[in-house]
PDB file of all heavy atoms in Angstrom:
ATOM      1  N   ILE Z 240       6.424 -19.686  -6.180  1.00  0.00           N
ATOM      2  CA  ILE Z 240       5.248 -20.387  -5.713  1.00  0.00           C
ATOM      3  C   ILE Z 240       3.970 -19.776  -6.162  1.00  0.00           C
ATOM      4  O   ILE Z 240       2.983 -20.322  -6.659  1.00  0.00           O
ATOM      5  CB  ILE Z 240       5.196 -20.730  -4.224  1.00  0.00           C
ATOM      6  CG1 ILE Z 240       6.312 -21.668  -3.859  1.00  0.00           C
ATOM      7  CG2 ILE Z 240       3.917 -21.224  -3.767  1.00  0.00           C
ATOM      8  CD1 ILE Z 240       6.441 -21.974  -2.337  1.00  0.00           C
ATOM      9  N   GLU Z 241       3.903 -18.346  -5.979  1.00  0.00           N
ATOM     10  CA  GLU Z 241       2.780 -17.596  -6.349  1.00  0.00           C
ATOM     11  C   GLU Z 241       2.502 -17.737  -7.812  1.00  0.00           C
ATOM     12  O   GLU Z 241       1.397 -17.768  -8.235  1.00  0.00           O
ATOM     13  CB  GLU Z 241       3.015 -16.167  -5.958  1.00  0.00           C
ATOM     14  CG  GLU Z 241       3.175 -15.881  -4.454  1.00  0.00           C
ATOM     15  CD  GLU Z 241       2.079 -16.441  -3.605  1.00  0.00           C
ATOM     16  OE1 GLU Z 241       0.940 -16.175  -3.947  1.00  0.00           O
ATOM     17  OE2 GLU Z 241       2.373 -17.066  -2.601  1.00  0.00           O
ATOM     18  N   ALA Z 242       3.593 -17.740  -8.633  1.00  0.00           N
ATOM     19  CA  ALA Z 242       3.426 -17.893 -10.084  1.00  0.00           C
ATOM     20  C   ALA Z 242       2.771 -19.248 -10.383  1.00  0.00           C
ATOM     21  O   ALA Z 242       1.972 -19.417 -11.284  1.00  0.00           O
ATOM     22  CB  ALA Z 242       4.808 -17.742 -10.778  1.00  0.00           C
ATOM     23  N   ASP Z 243       3.209 -20.318  -9.729  1.00  0.00           N
ATOM     24  CA  ASP Z 243       2.658 -21.685  -9.928  1.00  0.00           C
ATOM     25  C   ASP Z 243       1.161 -21.702  -9.496  1.00  0.00           C
ATOM     26  O   ASP Z 243       0.393 -22.303 -10.204  1.00  0.00           O
ATOM     27  CB  ASP Z 243       3.497 -22.724  -9.120  1.00  0.00           C
ATOM     28  CG  ASP Z 243       4.830 -22.963  -9.565  1.00  0.00           C
ATOM     29  OD1 ASP Z 243       5.103 -22.571 -10.843  1.00  0.00           O
ATOM     30  OD2 ASP Z 243       5.691 -23.378  -8.830  1.00  0.00           O
ATOM     31  N   ILE Z 244       0.875 -21.039  -8.367  1.00  0.00           N
ATOM     32  CA  ILE Z 244      -0.586 -21.023  -8.019  1.00  0.00           C
ATOM     33  C   ILE Z 244      -1.433 -20.342  -9.009  1.00  0.00           C
ATOM     34  O   ILE Z 244      -2.476 -20.709  -9.302  1.00  0.00           O
ATOM     35  CB  ILE Z 244      -0.726 -20.316  -6.666  1.00  0.00           C
ATOM     36  CG1 ILE Z 244      -0.019 -21.179  -5.559  1.00  0.00           C
ATOM     37  CG2 ILE Z 244      -2.129 -19.966  -6.227  1.00  0.00           C
ATOM     38  CD1 ILE Z 244       0.105 -20.487  -4.165  1.00  0.00           C
ATOM     39  N   ASN Z 245      -0.856 -19.277  -9.547  1.00  0.00           N
ATOM     40  CA  ASN Z 245      -1.508 -18.473 -10.546  1.00  0.00           C
ATOM     41  C   ASN Z 245      -1.912 -19.239 -11.776  1.00  0.00           C
ATOM     42  O   ASN Z 245      -2.920 -18.841 -12.539  1.00  0.00           O
ATOM     43  CB  ASN Z 245      -0.678 -17.216 -10.860  1.00  0.00           C
ATOM     44  CG  ASN Z 245      -1.567 -16.034 -11.274  1.00  0.00           C
ATOM     45  OD1 ASN Z 245      -2.589 -15.776 -10.629  1.00  0.00           O
ATOM     46  ND2 ASN Z 245      -1.151 -15.303 -12.324  1.00  0.00           N
ATOM     47  N   GLU Z 246      -1.153 -20.255 -12.084  1.00  0.00           N
ATOM     48  CA  GLU Z 246      -1.398 -21.118 -13.260  1.00  0.00           C
ATOM     49  C   GLU Z 246      -2.582 -22.019 -13.102  1.00  0.00           C
ATOM     50  O   GLU Z 246      -3.097 -22.582 -14.043  1.00  0.00           O
ATOM     51  CB  GLU Z 246      -0.129 -21.879 -13.703  1.00  0.00           C
ATOM     52  CG  GLU Z 246       1.013 -20.961 -14.112  1.00  0.00           C
ATOM     53  CD  GLU Z 246       0.620 -20.123 -15.393  1.00  0.00           C
ATOM     54  OE1 GLU Z 246       0.055 -20.627 -16.259  1.00  0.00           O
ATOM     55  OE2 GLU Z 246       0.972 -18.898 -15.373  1.00  0.00           O
ATOM     56  N   LEU Z 247      -2.948 -22.306 -11.804  1.00  0.00           N
ATOM     57  CA  LEU Z 247      -3.979 -23.231 -11.549  1.00  0.00           C
ATOM     58  C   LEU Z 247      -5.383 -22.646 -11.778  1.00  0.00           C
ATOM     59  O   LEU Z 247      -5.607 -21.455 -11.398  1.00  0.00           O
ATOM     60  CB  LEU Z 247      -3.890 -23.794 -10.063  1.00  0.00           C
ATOM     61  CG  LEU Z 247      -2.571 -24.511  -9.739  1.00  0.00           C
ATOM     62  CD1 LEU Z 247      -2.564 -24.841  -8.271  1.00  0.00           C
ATOM     63  CD2 LEU Z 247      -2.481 -25.871 -10.510  1.00  0.00           C
ATOM     64  N   ASP Z 248      -6.258 -23.395 -12.378  1.00  0.00           N
ATOM     65  CA  ASP Z 248      -7.569 -22.832 -12.805  1.00  0.00           C
ATOM     66  C   ASP Z 248      -8.564 -22.613 -11.685  1.00  0.00           C
ATOM     67  O   ASP Z 248      -9.204 -21.679 -11.516  1.00  0.00           O
ATOM     68  CB  ASP Z 248      -8.164 -23.612 -13.927  1.00  0.00           C
ATOM     69  CG  ASP Z 248      -7.304 -23.575 -15.187  1.00  0.00           C
ATOM     70  OD1 ASP Z 248      -6.776 -22.469 -15.405  1.00  0.00           O
ATOM     71  OD2 ASP Z 248      -7.341 -24.609 -15.926  1.00  0.00           O
ATOM     72  N   SER Z 249      -8.733 -23.662 -10.840  1.00  0.00           N
ATOM     73  CA  SER Z 249      -9.843 -23.665  -9.853  1.00  0.00           C
ATOM     74  C   SER Z 249      -9.288 -23.343  -8.457  1.00  0.00           C
ATOM     75  O   SER Z 249      -8.101 -23.574  -8.103  1.00  0.00           O
ATOM     76  CB  SER Z 249     -10.522 -25.023  -9.821  1.00  0.00           C
ATOM     77  OG  SER Z 249      -9.703 -25.979  -9.209  1.00  0.00           O
ATOM     78  N   PHE Z 250     -10.193 -22.856  -7.594  1.00  0.00           N
ATOM     79  CA  PHE Z 250      -9.936 -22.504  -6.204  1.00  0.00           C
ATOM     80  C   PHE Z 250      -9.501 -23.804  -5.500  1.00  0.00           C
ATOM     81  O   PHE Z 250      -8.608 -23.800  -4.598  1.00  0.00           O
ATOM     82  CB  PHE Z 250     -11.189 -21.947  -5.585  1.00  0.00           C
ATOM     83  CG  PHE Z 250     -11.072 -21.627  -4.109  1.00  0.00           C
ATOM     84  CD1 PHE Z 250     -10.349 -20.539  -3.608  1.00  0.00           C
ATOM     85  CD2 PHE Z 250     -11.671 -22.529  -3.118  1.00  0.00           C
ATOM     86  CE1 PHE Z 250     -10.216 -20.330  -2.278  1.00  0.00           C
ATOM     87  CE2 PHE Z 250     -11.463 -22.248  -1.825  1.00  0.00           C
ATOM     88  CZ  PHE Z 250     -10.761 -21.156  -1.415  1.00  0.00           C
ATOM     89  N   GLU Z 251     -10.163 -24.887  -5.783  1.00  0.00           N
ATOM     90  CA  GLU Z 251      -9.892 -26.175  -5.113  1.00  0.00           C
ATOM     91  C   GLU Z 251      -8.511 -26.599  -5.320  1.00  0.00           C
ATOM     92  O   GLU Z 251      -7.744 -27.065  -4.429  1.00  0.00           O
ATOM     93  CB  GLU Z 251     -10.874 -27.266  -5.534  1.00  0.00           C
ATOM     94  CG  GLU Z 251     -12.330 -27.107  -5.049  1.00  0.00           C
ATOM     95  CD  GLU Z 251     -13.047 -26.009  -5.699  1.00  0.00           C
ATOM     96  OE1 GLU Z 251     -12.631 -25.596  -6.775  1.00  0.00           O
ATOM     97  OE2 GLU Z 251     -14.069 -25.531  -5.186  1.00  0.00           O
ATOM     98  N   GLU Z 252      -8.059 -26.471  -6.639  1.00  0.00           N
ATOM     99  CA  GLU Z 252      -6.742 -26.909  -6.970  1.00  0.00           C
ATOM    100  C   GLU Z 252      -5.711 -25.980  -6.292  1.00  0.00           C
ATOM    101  O   GLU Z 252      -4.653 -26.551  -5.785  1.00  0.00           O
ATOM    102  CB  GLU Z 252      -6.390 -26.756  -8.502  1.00  0.00           C
ATOM    103  CG  GLU Z 252      -7.147 -27.783  -9.321  1.00  0.00           C
ATOM    104  CD  GLU Z 252      -6.884 -27.564 -10.762  1.00  0.00           C
ATOM    105  OE1 GLU Z 252      -7.152 -26.431 -11.274  1.00  0.00           O
ATOM    106  OE2 GLU Z 252      -6.428 -28.519 -11.490  1.00  0.00           O
ATOM    107  N   ARG Z 253      -5.925 -24.752  -6.108  1.00  0.00           N
ATOM    108  CA  ARG Z 253      -5.017 -23.765  -5.538  1.00  0.00           C
ATOM    109  C   ARG Z 253      -4.941 -24.126  -3.989  1.00  0.00           C
ATOM    110  O   ARG Z 253      -3.800 -24.120  -3.461  1.00  0.00           O
ATOM    111  CB  ARG Z 253      -5.522 -22.421  -5.720  1.00  0.00           C
ATOM    112  CG  ARG Z 253      -5.430 -21.931  -7.141  1.00  0.00           C
ATOM    113  CD  ARG Z 253      -5.820 -20.519  -7.301  1.00  0.00           C
ATOM    114  NE  ARG Z 253      -5.790 -20.050  -8.716  1.00  0.00           N
ATOM    115  CZ  ARG Z 253      -5.780 -18.815  -9.176  1.00  0.00           C
ATOM    116  NH1 ARG Z 253      -5.894 -17.860  -8.303  1.00  0.00           N
ATOM    117  NH2 ARG Z 253      -5.707 -18.568 -10.386  1.00  0.00           N
TER     118      ARG Z 253
END
Side-chain angles (χ1 to χ4, degrees):
I240 290 177
E241 300 303 315
D243 289 341
I244 291 171
N245 209 41
E246 294 299 318
L247 299 174
D248 294 325
S249 72
F250 175 78
E251 288 75 16
E252 286 179 307
R253 293 182 181 195

